Amino acid sequence: MRILISNDDGYLAPGIIALAEALAPIAEIVVVAPDSNRSGASNSLTLDRPLSVQRAGNGFYFVNGTPTDCVHIALTAMLDAPPDLVVSGINNGQNMGDDTLYSGTVAAATEAFLFGIPAIAFSQVNHGWAHVDSAARVARDIVERRFEMLTAPFLLNVNIPNLPYEELGPLTPTRLGRRHQAEPVIRAQDPRGRDIYWIGAPGACRDAGEGTDFHATQQGRVSITPLQIDLTHKTQLELLAQGIA
Ligand code: MN
């Protein structure tokens, strides 16, 4: 099996190092990741400047671009043949519910999916890398399952509680929950007295009921959500078509 690995926290992040170490014994791996933390980059491509690829001492490739840039360059310019799987992460913090729209971790997997390659995004629920080796072991377990019951290609979003491996609940299929709107920006002043703004925290859970990613991880379970990219609202489309006619 050949696996391309990327992330949005940058090629030096503990999560991608743990993920690569966990998958190296079972696959031929190539790591192509951003040169710095690009969390929140979503599905952005860099179109206003050229990109370059460099190779680190440990063999990881790093790019002065976004997670989507990394996977795009790897698939179209670096690899001789498409990999069997693309994995992203392990992210420093959860990507559940509405987070998935902003996530660079999910975006790296999405880029592979759009190229017709199965892809899995992995995130730890809490920041700080506690039990990242446990999460990497879970990631390897999940990769080894191969998911032949799914239509190909698949796009999976996995969130792993920060617990020791033995204390984790089972792998649980979920749907995305929903959040309330985000907290307001944090307003401050720079040293020259100008107003500056920090993007605020994500909103609290609005739908964290049974069956959601939020609910499963609150129970200590590993959440796995199959994603799709079709944003068309089919009911609204019907209403629109009827109303316009
Ligand atoms: Mn991140």
Side-chain angles (χ1 to χ4, degrees):
M1 182 164 41
R2 296 168 65 252
I3 300 178
L4 171 66
I5 304 175
S6 193
N7 77 347
D8 74 357
D9 295 327
Y11 77 106
L12 295 173
I16 199 168
I17 292 168
L19 184 58
E21 284 176 356
L23 296 181
I26 63 162
E28 185 186 324
I29 62 164
V30 177
V31 177
V32 184
D35 63 356
S36 60
N37 189 336
R38 303 303 301 266
S39 295
S42 190
N43 299 89
S44 53
L45 284 167
T46 300
L47 301 175
D48 59 348
R49 59 181 172 83
L51 298 165
S52 60
V53 180
Q54 296 183 74
R55 191 168 185 271
N58 65 354
F60 288 12
Y61 294 95
F62 58 98
V63 178
N64 58 338
T66 66
T68 301
D69 290 330
C70 291
V71 172
H72 194 96
I73 289 175
L75 295 180
T76 63
M78 293 175 66
L79 302 176
D80 296 331
D84 301 300
L85 180 71
V86 175
V87 298
S88 178
I90 300 167
N91 190 57
N92 188 17
Q94 61 189 254
N95 281 304
M96 300 195 282
D98 306 357
D99 305 340
T100 49
L101 284 175
Y102 302 98
S103 168
T105 307
V106 175
T110 300
E111 184 68 1
F113 176 73
L114 293 175
F115 274 83
I117 299 165
I120 312 174
F122 293 103
S123 304
Q124 282 196 290
V125 170
N126 296 318
H127 284 95
W129 307 115
H131 303 293
V132 70
D133 290 332
S134 160
R137 205 168 148 190
V138 170
R140 181 167 70 188
D141 292 346
I142 289 172
V143 166
E144 286 182 321
R145 281 181 177 247
R146 290 175 178 269
F147 299 100
E148 282 161 358
M149 77 292 262
L150 299 177
T151 54
F154 53 76
L155 175 59
L156 300 175
N157 184 42
V158 176
N159 283 275
I160 306 164
N162 299 57
L163 291 170
Y165 185 79
E166 297 73 23
E167 293 176 25
L168 284 166
L171 186 58
T172 303
T174 58
R175 62 183 169 84
L176 297 180
R178 292 295 309 276
R179 290 188 185 277
H180 289 286
Q181 70 180 56
E183 299 292 319
V185 292
I186 301 151
R187 187 196 294 255
Q189 286 200 328
D190 75 6
R192 294 192 172 91
R194 293 176 298 206
D195 285 338
I196 55 171
Y197 305 88
W198 285 96
I199 297 294
C205 294
R206 174 154 59 104
D207 174 10
E210 186 110 28
T212 64
D213 45 8
F214 292 122
H215 187 266
T217 54
Q218 278 159 11
Q219 310 290 315
R221 295 164 175 254
V222 176
S223 165
I224 181 165
T225 310
L227 301 180
Q228 63 181 358
I229 304 304
D230 181 359
L231 295 178
T232 306
H233 192 306
K234 303 209 167 48
T235 311
Q236 297 280 46
L237 174 60
E238 277 176 35
L239 293 170
L240 184 66
Q242 287 163 13
I244 279 179

